[in-house]
Amino acid sequence: MTLSSSTSLTSASPDSGPSSMHSAHATRPAVDPSLLAYRELVRGPFWQRIPAYRDISEEQFLDHTWQAKHSITHPTKLLAVVRDLVPASFIEDAEKGFGRAPMSLRVSPYLLSLIDWNNPIDDPLRIQFIPLASRLTADHPKLDLDSLHEQADAPVAGLTHRYPDKALFLALDTCPVYCRFCTRSYAVGVDTEDVEKISLKVSNDRWARAYEYIASRPELEDIVISGGDAYQLRAQQIEEIGESLLRIPNVRRMRFATKGPAVMPQKILTDHAWTDALTRVVEKGRKAHKEVVLHTHFNHPNEITGITEDAMHKLMERGILVRNQSVLQRGVNDSPETMTTLIKRMGHINVHAYYVYVHDLVKGVEDLRTSVDTAIFIEKSVRGCTAGFNTPMFVVDAPGGGGKRDVHSYEYYDRETGISVYQAPSVKPGQFFLYFDPLHQLSTAVQRRWADPAEHDVMVQAALAKARSHPR
Ligand code: SF4
């Protein structure tokens, strides 16, 4: 075995005295304790800071049925809960913001309690769930409601078969929370003033057609069960889906996708039927030598509390692996410091950082998007902060159905016009996929070009010509 350089450096030198022979020779300076702050998780009755929850006991707050029942689904109710905590101008701003939002509203008491109501404007959780009209910016002209073209790649309603060996099964269209930035705002949640949703409700017929299609395609090995959100499936439905898929010989891997641990970790601790059902599917999968895991969605370290840690410990004790997929968002996690803390905190509670998505081209949330350049900068900054298997890959989910591409793998990137061009040889060979940086990160001169429809094709064709000039 070859000694690594750090191992050889810690060996005592030939002229070391007796004391140095017995003390470790530090190769790095003592750690700044602030760098270990990611291990400090909020515990105690933090929810009692909200007047409406002042009398809520720990037992009530941990009860998932209480969380679900008290989740707020109407802007007027939400604003009534926080009215005494914020200035009137905030309420007015939020009312106007909700009027223009593509997503309906649902927030849990847990989530509301974690927002810093002394500074809600800049709070990373407020930014993700409560729109403020004053912060909204104009959509890039190339935005689309279903930018990933999931419906175009769906042989059965709610089953997207894009990658050779993987399918996305949208089992239902509701979630424990509704995120402003949702890429599936074309289907998830109830209709809003701006968007009439397509329906992907729980339906035995639709599910049966999905299983039939999966069984008919021997190349399909990997199924993502999402929605909507697997948290909203009843225990019996978790088992029904899990067992139906485990019975299909070609299915080797499946993941239940849920944002639940980030917005209502209580469910894992107190919805025993649901957690036990998931555990049984995982165990049956293990016996059949098939992998069943949970995929979740933390975006900011503040979403992780002592309750989350207890929930993740419970899953770990049951042998359930949890992976995370974050969305890079402006003002939420678009700094190396925040992303590093998030990754380290997730590692601390045994959640594997898996992907960070550059924000999809979703309408109505342009204020949240960042550029490909920002993603590359943050990736460079976080790589090396922990083990490689706990370091996320930063990806662009190529608009138009190219699938996830490593953010660095563009064929061409024009930082001035904000156009990046990707290819996906194993998914859709020969095609080019375009991502567009948000207008607010471009120069005024280029913003003027994007305001002129005649210029769009000029900029796009120039980027494509550059991309084509590097044939492989
Ligand atoms: S939980 Fe997931 S599917 Fe549901 S609204 Fe949020 S991002 Fe969309």
Side-chain angles (χ1 to χ4, degrees):
M1 188 181 120
T2 314
L3 284 179
S4 69
S5 56
S6 59
T7 310
S8 56
L9 276 171
T10 53
S11 304
S13 60
D15 58 353
S16 302
S19 60
S20 60
M21 288 289 283
H22 295 291
S23 63
H25 185 119
T27 57
R28 292 174 60 87
V31 70
D32 174 349
S34 71
L35 295 175
L36 302 179
Y38 65 85
R39 298 175 185 167
E40 290 160 19
L41 303 179
V42 173
R43 287 195 178 266
F46 56 86
W47 57 91
Q48 292 177 356
R49 290 180 300 211
I50 308 280
Y53 307 144
R54 195 156 284 152
D55 298 327
I56 301 304
S57 67
E58 181 167 12
E59 193 185 348
Q60 276 174 301
F61 197 74
L62 286 180
D63 179 356
H64 72 101
T65 54
W66 186 88
Q67 287 287 333
K69 193 168 160 212
H70 290 84
S71 287
I72 297 175
T73 55
H74 197 282
T76 317
K77 283 200 181 141
L78 170 83
L79 298 175
V81 168
V82 299
R83 195 168 292 278
D84 294 340
L85 301 171
V86 293
S89 56
F90 177 89
I91 300 283
E92 203 179 306
D93 207 356
E95 276 168 346
K96 286 189 192 146
F98 280 119
R100 290 165 56 185
M103 282 302 286
S104 39
L105 169 71
R106 179 175 284 165
V107 287
S108 60
Y110 174 78
L111 203 155
L112 267 188
S113 306
L114 291 174
I115 292 175
D116 176 5
W117 291 105
N118 292 319
N119 182 15
I121 304 277
D122 299 321
D123 185 90
L125 275 72
R126 193 288 300 161
I127 292 173
Q128 296 179 71
F129 300 100
I130 302 174
L132 294 181
S134 63
R135 300 281 149 153
L136 300 179
T137 57
D139 280 347
H140 193 289
K142 291 289 186 184
L143 296 197
D144 190 359
L145 203 55
D146 175 16
S147 73
L148 305 183
H149 289 198
E150 289 181 335
Q151 295 172 85
D153 283 334
V156 171
L159 184 78
T160 299
H161 183 186
R162 168 170 306 146
Y163 298 92
D165 71 346
K166 187 181 100 176
L168 169 67
F169 176 31
L170 303 179
L172 75 174
D173 55 13
T174 59
C175 303
V177 68
Y178 291 129
C179 316
R180 288 184 58 210
F181 50 88
C182 183
T183 201
R184 275 182 212 122
S185 51
Y186 67 86
V188 167
V190 295
D191 294 348
T192 67
E193 282 181 33
D194 278 3
V195 182
E196 195 176 324
K197 318 265 169 166
I198 66 157
S199 169
L200 293 176
K201 297 203 181 326
V202 167
S203 147
N204 289 337
D205 272 4
R206 188 170 67 81
W207 289 8
R209 273 181 279 131
Y211 305 146
E212 208 178 304
Y213 177 83
I214 294 166
S216 76
R217 300 298 301 238
E219 74 272 33
L220 278 178
E221 297 183 347
D222 192 347
I223 311 296
V224 180
I225 303 129
S226 185
D229 192 294
Y231 241 39
Q232 300 301 95
L233 291 167
R234 292 199 298 271
Q236 173 206 341
Q237 293 170 330
I238 291 276
E239 282 194 281
E240 189 209 308
I241 293 175
E243 288 177 9
S244 301
L245 292 174
L246 286 173
R247 273 196 295 273
I248 299 174
N250 46 292
V251 173
R252 307 295 307 161
R253 297 173 290 282
M254 71 176 87
R255 337 155 190 184
F256 285 93
T258 173
K259 187 160 175 66
V263 296
M264 203 189 287
Q266 290 89 340
K267 185 176 173 82
I268 290 165
L269 296 168
T270 59
D271 188 348
H272 304 297
W274 191 91
T275 309
D276 290 350
L278 178 68
T279 307
R280 282 194 291 275
V281 175
V282 171
E283 283 170 354
K284 279 185 186 152
R286 195 177 302 122
K287 287 197 180 109
H289 310 125
K290 299 186 179 196
E291 184 189 76
V292 182
V293 304
L294 196 74
H295 273 205
T296 192
H297 181 174
F298 293 104
N299 286 327
H300 190 276
N302 290 2
E303 294 158 9
I304 299 173
T305 63
I307 301 173
T308 329
E309 183 177 45
D310 294 345
M312 295 302 104
H313 282 171
K314 180 166 181 173
L315 295 182
M316 187 173 209
E317 283 161 20
R318 291 172 175 221
I320 301 176
L321 178 67
V322 185
R323 299 194 192 107
N324 188 71
Q325 305 187 178
S326 299
V327 178
L328 189 62
Q329 293 167 83
R330 188 171 174 226
V332 173
N333 53 15
D334 63 335
S335 76
E337 296 74 25
T338 303
M339 190 56 80
T340 301
T341 306
L342 175 63
I343 291 166
K344 298 283 285 178
R345 186 164 285 180
M346 289 194 296
H348 186 64
I349 58 167
N350 302 305
V351 173
H352 281 198
Y354 173 37
Y355 277 137
V356 173
Y357 290 79
V358 176
H359 201 298
D360 290 333
L361 300 178
V362 181
K363 278 187 166 181
V365 289
E366 196 65 346
D367 55 309
L368 296 179
R369 287 208 302 130
T370 60
S371 63
V372 162
D373 187 55
T374 305
I376 290 171
F377 167 68
I378 295 176
E379 195 278 347
K380 197 189 318 186
S381 308
V382 302
R383 184 155 295 280
C385 76
T386 189
F389 63 80
N390 251 348
T391 306
M393 173 177 267
F394 284 60
V395 293
V396 169
D397 209 343
K404 295 172 227 7
R405 314 309 305 164
D406 180 334
V407 70
H408 301 88
S409 69
Y410 50 78
E411 305 299 318
Y412 177 69
Y413 179 25
D414 185 335
R415 283 174 166 79
E416 198 187 324
T417 60
I419 301 176
S420 43
V421 186
Y422 289 87
Q423 286 206 286
S426 61
V427 183
K428 293 191 175 162
Q431 288 190 33
F432 289 96
F433 300 91
L434 303 170
Y435 184 84
F436 301 92
D437 288 346
L439 297 175
H440 56 72
Q441 282 188 267
L442 305 176
S443 68
T444 315
V446 174
Q447 287 186 31
R448 259 190 242 114
R449 290 187 75 188
W450 280 115
D452 175 2
E455 281 289 300
H456 297 179
D457 205 40
V458 176
M459 290 186 277
V460 165
Q461 291 308 327
L464 285 170
K466 288 278 191 185
R468 288 194 185 103
S469 68
H470 302 292
R472 306 237 178 249

